[in-house]
Amino acid sequence: MVSSEWGTIVARCRRRPPGLDDLPADALTEGKRALVRVDFNVPLERGEGGTPPRVADDLRLRAALPTVERITQAGAKAVLMSHLGRPGGTPAPALSLRPVAKRFEELLGRPVHFCEETTGEEPEAVIEQLTGGSVVLLENTRFAPGEKSNDDDFAEALAALGDVFVGDAFGAAHRAHASTVGAARAMQRAGRPAAMGRLVERELEALGRLVEEPESPFVAVLGGAKVSDKLGVIERLLGVADRLLIGGAMSYTFMQAQGRPAGDSPVEDDRVADAERLLSEAGDRLLLPSDHLAAEGLDEGADYRPVEGSIPAGQMGVDIGPQTATRYQEAIRRAQTVAWNGPMGVVEQARFAEGTRAVAEAVKEATDDGAYTVAGGGDSAAALSEMGFADAVRHLSTGGGAMLQDR
Ligand code: ADP
Ligand code: MG
């Protein structure tokens, strides 16, 4: 799971590329081929007794429907491409997109023509013979070694399958691979237009509202595993937020920077200097936990208890403490804008998920009171859905390893 995605996306969302409605009038007319980079990197369930694998979570497939509908209703052919898992540049039957084509066909309610090759004569012939409004899905782009290396020839071969490029793979948008960046560039070199799809447009709009004149007070909540993953987003948010509430494992690196002992908690030694710099830049806008849940380990039977101030040797911080949860809730309830990324503790274990739940409850109240609230990140989105808080925010961003494994 790549947690820096969200930061990259928030940082980038000021530059807004053209959308489908900004394309030249003849770009999507009858018979034109729209090459669409979607994010169909979905979790698969292994089939039993030789039956083919099944799509275990189709959120990303449903998220692609508006773009595909828009293209096909205009009369153009939608040629979809995506990666799935990590086949390592060589065909791996278990990671074929064929079962995904089947599920997408059910959701779309129309045929989806699957191509066993990603580039070359087979897809060219299939696309050629289809009528306007048809939908094609190419085989996993990562079956080709040129995908991850953003090889020019592979990018050109992909671009040859379209008259217009549409980027709609929000979760993969920050990766410079052949099917994301390479094909778009090749297409533009050939004088053909490129646009972002509906999903990317919706996400950029939602995240853009955070950095363009957000309503004050703007409270940003940042947690999760590492400072190093989030440096970009912390800096970006410091430029716009009135308060930055820090939780999760990254707080211990900040504690270290303040000279407060963090016991055996995970500290990123090579980021302590960054944390010091951020602390002095942010002044009292940056809030750190004043108490913690400290555990003797992460095993089932390990003892844990709330501690104030520093964390004793032999123990590690696993969640924000109850006082901190209350302080953070108060700040969030007063906010008109909230941006949240990263759980407050080891949220995978219910007993260490209370801090995250407290934040979710306050965010829900702020949303109900009319605040503009956005949460993003793979683990954060997973935790929110699991706790029944998926509707607690105005926008739940799929960015950051959307739903949810980047396998
Ligand atoms: P997101 O995917 O939402 O961006 P991250 O990937 O940055 O979030 O962080 C999520 C991970 O951080 C979770 O696996 C969680 O267990 C871990 N984490 C949070 N707090 C702690 C902590 N105190 N100690 C160890 N791991 C933590
Ligand atoms: Mg993550």
Side-chain angles (χ1 to χ4, degrees), residues 41-373:
N41 183 33
V42 292
L44 290 179
E45 257 163 30
R46 212 177 283 252
E48 280 176 29
T51 57
R54 279 187 58 250
V55 172
D57 183 308
D58 60 15
L59 184 98
R60 286 179 171 186
L61 306 186
R62 284 184 277 119
L65 288 171
T67 294
V68 174
E69 296 285 11
R70 170 71 177 79
I71 290 168
T72 53
Q73 274 163 17
K77 304 174 189 179
V79 180
L80 312 181
M81 58 178 168
S82 174
H83 78 278
L84 175 62
R86 297 184 172 167
T90 174
L95 291 174
S96 169
L97 277 169
R98 188 182 282 281
V100 177
K102 189 164 168 285
R103 181 72 194 120
F104 194 60
E105 187 165 80
E106 288 165 9
L107 292 169
L108 193 64
R110 284 185 291 128
V112 171
H113 305 271
F114 182 70
C115 291
E116 280 174 19
E117 302 288 332
T118 313
T119 55
E121 283 171 20
E122 188 234 3
E124 275 167 28
V126 169
I127 297 163
E128 171 72 34
Q129 58 158 47
L130 289 171
T131 55
S134 299
V135 180
V136 175
L137 177 61
L138 306 173
E139 184 56 286
N140 194 343
T141 51
R142 285 197 192 163
F143 283 4
E147 167 69 327
K148 286 189 94 166
S149 63
N150 194 3
D151 175 70
D152 273 343
D153 291 338
F154 183 57
E156 294 279 351
L158 288 170
L161 300 174
D163 303 303
V164 48
F165 182 87
V166 179
D168 211 20
F170 190 66
H174 64 298
R175 293 187 175 129
H177 293 166
S179 66
T180 53
V181 170
R185 293 217 176 110
M187 198 81 102
Q188 283 174 320
R189 276 199 299 277
R192 297 171 181 174
M196 59 179 169
R198 291 281 197 245
L199 175 63
V200 167
E201 202 166 9
R202 203 166 52 99
E203 291 273 10
L204 290 192
E205 220 171 84
L207 299 178
R209 244 182 102 170
L210 295 179
V211 290
E212 288 159 22
E213 299 171 35
E215 218 183 309
S216 219
F218 180 172
V219 173
V221 189
L222 281 173
K226 291 179 174 172
V227 176
S228 50
D229 281 347
K230 312 262 163 113
L231 261 181
V233 77
I234 299 177
E235 276 168 12
R236 188 79 186 84
L237 288 171
L238 263 182
V240 283
D242 300 300
R243 284 243 175 299
L244 209 59
L245 317 182
I246 302 281
M250 70 159 78
S251 24
Y252 315 121
T253 302
F254 281 97
M255 280 175 74
Q256 182 92 346
Q258 290 182 319
R260 279 160 54 196
D264 293 350
S265 307
V267 169
E268 286 176 279
D269 291 323
D270 55 345
R271 294 296 169 192
V272 173
D274 286 310
E276 265 173 40
R277 180 174 51 80
L278 290 167
L279 279 167
S280 73
E281 265 172 42
D284 56 8
R285 287 190 298 146
L286 197 143
L287 271 63
L288 287 171
S290 45
D291 63 338
H292 313 266
L293 215 56
E296 273 161 20
L298 291 175
D299 301 338
E300 275 293 292
D303 270 347
Y304 62 97
R305 62 191 173 90
V307 296
E308 272 178 50
S310 51
I311 297 169
Q315 297 186 26
M316 58 193 288
V318 288
D319 195 4
I320 57 173
Q323 274 173 26
T324 305
T326 305
R327 268 168 67 222
Y328 285 8
Q329 282 189 316
E330 281 165 8
I332 293 165
R333 284 195 192 109
R334 282 198 297 269
Q336 285 301 323
T337 308
V338 179
W340 178 15
N341 169 240
M344 297 290 101
V346 185
V347 72
E348 294 85 351
Q349 301 196 31
R351 51 205 175 122
F352 306 145
E354 286 311 308
T356 304
R357 181 184 299 278
V359 165
E361 276 165 5
V363 171
K364 181 175 176 0
E365 285 171 41
T367 309
D368 290 345
D369 286 346
Y372 183 65
T373 55

Side-chain angles (χ1 to χ4, degrees), residues 1-3 230 377-380 400:
M1 216 160 293
V2 187
S3 16
K230 312 262 163 113
D379 293 293
S380 309

